[in-house]
């Protein structure tokens, strides 16, 4: 029985660029979610995120 392991080389410049893009998009998404769910006066959004905010000690009242 032979086992074949296939690896695909990723250029280091693509990896660094990809990593920065992922960090930037994650930060933007996080700020967007906190801004919308954390400070929204819409009751449905507030209630949907209420328990999560309290479990993370995020003030919402």
């Amino acid at each position: 029985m032979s086992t074949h392991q296939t690896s695909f080389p990723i250029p280091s410049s693509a990896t660094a660029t990809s990593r920065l893009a992922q960090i930037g998009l994650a930060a933007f998404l996080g700020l967007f979610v906190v801004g919308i769910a954390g400070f929204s006066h819409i009751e449905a959004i507030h209630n949907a995120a209420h328990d999560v905010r309290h479990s993370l000690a995020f003030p919402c009242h």
Side-chain angles (χ1 to χ4, degrees):
M1 250 178 116
S2 78
T3 58
H4 295 275
Q5 292 182 341
T6 305
S7 62
F8 300 100
I10 299 173
S12 62
S13 62
T15 302
T17 303
S18 175
R19 197 171 290 160
L20 285 174
Q22 290 174 12
I23 290 169
L25 288 172
F28 175 75
L29 180 63
L31 290 172
F32 181 76
V33 167
V34 168
I36 296 299
F39 298 107
S40 177
H41 295 287
I42 300 171
E43 188 175 349
I45 294 174
H46 175 85
N47 289 338
H50 190 84
D51 292 337
V52 174
R53 285 195 305 253
H54 279 288
S55 70
L56 297 173
F58 184 82
C60 64
H61 297 283

